[in-house]
Amino acid sequence: MSDELTYRRAGVDIDEQNRAIRMFAPAVQETYDARVLGGPGTFGALFDISALDVEEPILVTSMDGVGTKTCVAAQANQFSGLGADIVNHCVNDILAQGARPLFFLDYFAASRLNAQQVADVVTSAAQACKENDCALVGGEIAEMPDVYKDGQIDIVGAIVGVVSKSAMLPTTSVGPGDLVVGLASDGLHTNGYTLARRALLDVGGLRLEDTVPELGRSLAEELLRPHRSYFPALRGLLGAEGRIKAIAHITGGGFYENLPRVFPPTVRAIIEKRQWTPPPIFQMIQTLGAISDTEMYRTFNMGIGMVLIAASDAVPALVQQINESGITAYVIGELTSGGHDVVIA
């Protein structure tokens, strides 16, 4: 019957979902090794941890989303970096505990599924997993026209990693006299996009397709630069004679909310913002939106995507090794006695 009610007519196209899976499956399978026991199509992913070369292994988990960066991607019709965004964000989160990633799961939801969009995102996630020595073992694709507005997508990821119990971060030795080392970001990463879009597009009147001389690229290209992973630069330094005492991922909440998560309540972080120059995109957002310094440093990473805390005598070698990896590191402050807060001077 031509008027027969089907799942597709109700708003969910299983065929489009299956087409997307066929498109990204080869990239996902490239992230597998002998530890992955269950392939695509199983109800639950299987991962063999019996051969982990970790003494007293502790599993570390985290989950996060790309947020409204997806709105920029949808408006620009560029989705290929969003998978890397969520993988690298989650990798950095568990890196703050000193953990290396083992496996990752993704979630893609939309008002209407477009197989190419899904494939672009998941393929990007698979590539990022390979770069982080992590298996993409499963995920979920959801089409929900009654939940999301037309054109909207949502991307979430969950990760599991491992760290030796003796190498967990932060250590108990974090305290006054330790130095704060900032690792350069490559843009907004995945935080602050609601404020950035308001300042740049609504208030500033810019368009995503505009080429901005200060940026050397279009606004869309700048805003869609993938979230940087710091694991490749730090993997050889984790647990190395305890040189790194603590790691903070500068995400939602910026400096003010994230740094106190890794030092004791009797400690204060003094950050000297003159020690680095934020990328031009942050100055554009602040100027066009007439945003205060406090709001900027509470919302955005301001050019520092990750912060390390280490003893002062360990910092010179630490900074040198990180710089040699291709990530720029700066000494941006120190810890003092105080009231469990952050002062940016």
Side-chain angles (χ1 to χ4, degrees):
M1 297 176 58
S2 60
D3 59 349
E4 177 185 0
L5 184 61
T6 65
Y7 207 6
R8 182 175 183 176
R9 287 188 172 183
V12 178
D13 189 345
I14 296 175
D15 291 334
E16 189 72 358
Q17 175 178 316
N18 289 335
R19 189 166 79 90
I21 292 172
R22 290 193 297 271
M23 294 171 70
F24 65 65
V28 171
Q29 289 175 326
E30 287 183 8
T31 71
Y32 292 0
D33 57 23
R35 299 171 297 177
V36 180
L37 305 181
T42 59
F43 285 100
L46 303 173
F47 191 92
D48 184 1
I49 63 171
S50 63
L52 287 178
D53 57 341
V54 179
E55 184 178 350
E56 294 188 285
I58 303 295
L59 294 180
V60 183
T61 67
S62 186
M63 185 175 187
D64 218 306
V66 172
T68 60
K69 189 171 185 176
T70 59
C71 296
V72 178
Q75 189 173 343
N77 195 30
Q78 298 176 24
F79 300 89
S80 59
L82 297 179
D85 276 319
I86 191 56
V87 170
N88 293 341
H89 186 123
C90 289
V91 167
N92 290 341
D93 276 349
I94 64 170
L95 188 56
Q97 271 71 51
R100 60 180 172 90
L102 294 175
F103 56 87
F104 182 85
L105 297 100
D106 60 57
Y107 172 84
F108 182 105
S111 56
R112 289 282 189 274
L113 283 184
N114 177 298
Q116 187 62 59
Q117 290 177 6
V118 180
D120 286 347
V121 171
V122 180
T123 298
S124 169
Q127 291 169 343
C129 281
K130 285 187 66 177
E131 293 167 1
N132 287 286
D133 192 23
C134 180
L136 204 174
V137 297
E140 167 70 357
I141 303 171
E143 186 172 31
M144 298 187 288
D146 296 330
V147 174
Y148 295 98
K149 295 178 182 178
D150 287 344
Q152 280 190 328
I153 66 170
D154 193 17
I155 299 171
V156 178
I159 196 166
V160 173
V162 66
V163 61
S164 172
K165 190 173 184 179
S166 63
M168 290 191 304
L169 297 177
T171 68
T172 58
S173 62
V174 174
D178 290 337
L179 296 183
V180 180
V181 177
L183 308 188
S185 72
D186 54 2
L188 271 65
H189 285 179
T190 51
N191 292 101
Y193 276 80
T194 299
L195 179 57
R197 288 186 298 114
R198 296 292 183 271
L200 296 169
L201 305 179
D202 298 344
V203 177
L206 297 178
R207 300 175 301 169
L208 291 177
E209 61 270 25
D210 290 342
T211 297
V212 182
E214 302 97 298
L215 303 176
R217 56 180 60 85
S218 73
L219 186 59
E221 289 171 328
E222 176 66 29
L223 294 179
L224 293 174
R225 295 174 72 177
H227 195 126
R228 171 172 281 169
S229 170
Y230 296 96
F231 176 65
L234 297 182
R235 65 184 304 171
L237 303 174
L238 297 175
E241 303 171 359
R243 284 185 294 170
I244 299 176
K245 295 186 176 185
I247 297 176
H249 186 196
I250 307 302
T251 59
F255 284 79
Y256 291 109
E257 303 294 332
N258 288 296
L259 275 176
R261 297 165 69 177
V262 300
F263 56 70
T266 56
V267 168
R268 167 174 290 155
I270 307 295
I271 303 298
E272 300 177 5
K273 61 184 179 181
R274 67 178 181 272
Q275 298 299 331
W276 81 96
T277 301
I281 186 64
F282 296 105
Q283 184 61 54
M284 289 181 60
I285 293 169
Q286 184 168 17
T287 299
L288 291 174
I291 303 168
S292 70
D293 277 1
T294 298
E295 186 69 12
M296 291 294 294
Y297 281 87
R298 190 181 182 206
T299 304
F300 301 104
N301 66 62
M302 297 302 289
I304 300 294
M306 181 159 279
V307 164
L308 314 180
I309 295 173
S312 58
D313 59 356
V315 164
L318 193 61
V319 168
Q320 180 179 348
Q321 286 182 271
I322 295 169
N323 284 333
E324 289 173 352
S325 76
I327 300 290
T328 303
Y330 315 87
V331 179
I332 62 170
E334 64 177 337
L335 300 188
T336 66
S337 297
H340 200 227
D341 59 4
V342 176
V343 175
I344 298 179

